[in-house]
Amino acid sequence: MAAMAPLRNIVILTGAGISAESGIDTFRSAGGLWEQHRVEDVATPEAFARDPDLVLRFYDMRRAAIQTKAPNPAHDALARLDRNWDGGLLIVTQNVDDLHERAGALLGISGRVLHMHGEHLNAWCTACDSRPRWSGTLIDRPPCPTCGEAALRPDVVWFGEVPYEMDRIHAALGEADLFVSIGTSGAVYPAAGFVRNARSLGARTLELNLEASQGSRWFDETRLGPASELVPAWVDELLDG
Ligand code: BJW
């Protein structure tokens, strides 16, 4: 990128593409359909009300699958950045897997990761509003560990629901000198709008993606290729520069 004002505060947005090379399907790729359902048809409160077994089965399958996957070099590189970057850093992930944390946990880093669409490994009790860690199934309607009600659902953000920690995200975008988007299609808001928010607030913007996304035109720079190559190279550049 062109040399500009010193870089201190970075916001990184990650999407399904960063976990693709760990073997987790993206949503809008060829493999993104689940039993003929598009994510837009399963990931809604209306779908859950209409057919809870279908939705719980979808999430039970994915919760089990992520526990068999491992972080890839892109997650490792962001964990390395987190360890070595003295300025502000917020990794906002749309992903509900825990691969950023597992890359960091292996390397002993802090918690600068925010899951704006929730987490597979949490359940949400709609009776008492607790959010227990959860690695098993929900289809069998287990009781909530806090209140005993059989009212647990996946702790993920469905279409029509408000993503988590928007105030913290907007505060970080307002402070950002650099906004970097990794492996996201730019199809889902409000995340798809962060590049324009960041730009209008003065940040430089960089996209790392396998192919051009719906939002590419909003970025100052787009680099195309697999995240496992682009992200470590970019982190090297940043830490060495
Ligand atoms: C690689 C790679 C490799 C592959 N290396 N790259 C009309 C217009 C505008 C907005 C709306 C509208 N109608 C409704 C809305 C709002 C709606 C929305 O955006 N709908 C769109 C469909 C238009 N949004 C919402 O409802 C959100 N809530 C909301 O807006 O509340 C209002 C509000 C907001 C803020 C403040 C106050 C009020 C909620 C959205 C919830 C999204 N939930 C999901 C499911 C989560 C749980 C689960 O996992 O099941 O989140 S949907 C799904 O999409 C998931 C993802 O996080 C999200 C984004 O997907 P992502 O990550 O971009 O994946 P893909 O598959 O789309 O793309 C993969 C990318 O990777 C591609 O670009 C590849 O090229 C790339 N790639 N391999 C690098 N190796």
Side-chain angles (χ1 to χ4, degrees):
M1 304 183 78
M4 294 179 83
L7 199 59
R8 182 144 186 87
N9 297 323
I10 306 174
V11 175
I12 299 173
L13 174 70
T14 66
I18 198 168
S19 295
E21 291 164 85
S22 294
I24 300 178
D25 279 343
T26 62
F27 294 96
R28 295 171 183 83
S29 63
L33 287 179
W34 177 71
E35 296 185 3
Q36 309 311 315
H37 302 284
R38 296 179 317 143
V39 65
E40 288 81 358
D41 299 331
V42 189
T44 67
E46 293 76 18
F48 186 52
R50 191 169 55 240
D51 192 347
D53 280 5
L54 174 87
V55 175
L56 291 175
R57 216 155 43 81
F58 174 63
Y59 283 94
D60 283 354
M61 187 256 326
R62 290 172 57 209
R63 191 179 309 104
I66 61 149
Q67 294 176 69
T68 69
K69 311 296 182 190
N72 69 53
H75 299 101
D76 293 340
L78 293 188
R80 185 159 56 84
L81 179 63
D82 184 23
R83 250 191 350 273
N84 291 293
W85 188 252
D86 292 334
L89 174 67
L90 184 64
I91 299 171
V92 178
T93 187
Q94 298 170 85
N95 298 345
V96 294
D97 67 51
D98 62 339
L99 297 186
H100 284 304
E101 284 88 345
R102 278 200 270 147
L106 288 173
L107 298 162
I109 60 157
S110 65
R112 293 200 273 194
V113 176
L114 180 164
H115 285 268
M116 66 176 289
H117 290 163
E119 296 181 61
H120 269 321
L121 294 176
N122 278 352
W124 173 27
C125 178
T126 55
C128 74
D129 203 31
S130 64
R131 287 182 156 81
R133 290 301 277 173
W134 205 267
S135 56
T137 56
L138 292 174
I139 186 94
D140 38 340
R141 309 301 199 277
C144 166
T146 305
C147 73
E149 291 291 319
L152 295 172
R153 58 161 266 189
D155 185 17
V156 299
V157 178
W158 287 326
F159 287 107
E161 298 180 328
V162 179
Y164 296 152
E165 302 205 57
M166 290 304 300
D167 290 348
R168 188 174 162 208
I169 296 170
H170 280 300
L173 290 172
E175 299 285 309
D177 303 306
L178 176 64
F179 172 80
V180 185
S181 168
I182 304 173
T184 177
S185 59
V188 175
Y189 287 82
F194 291 167
V195 58
R196 275 170 280 173
N197 300 144
R199 265 181 92 108
S200 67
L201 294 165
R204 282 181 275 157
T205 56
L206 169 66
E207 176 180 47
L208 307 177
N209 202 315
L210 192 61
E211 50 195 34
S213 72
Q214 291 186 30
S216 288
R217 67 184 180 283
W218 300 106
F219 288 86
D220 296 318
E221 185 186 356
T222 293
R223 300 181 188 177
L224 300 183
S228 64
E229 293 174 15
L230 293 183
V231 179
W234 170 68
V235 169
D236 285 347
E237 202 177 289
L238 201 61
L239 294 177
D240 295 346

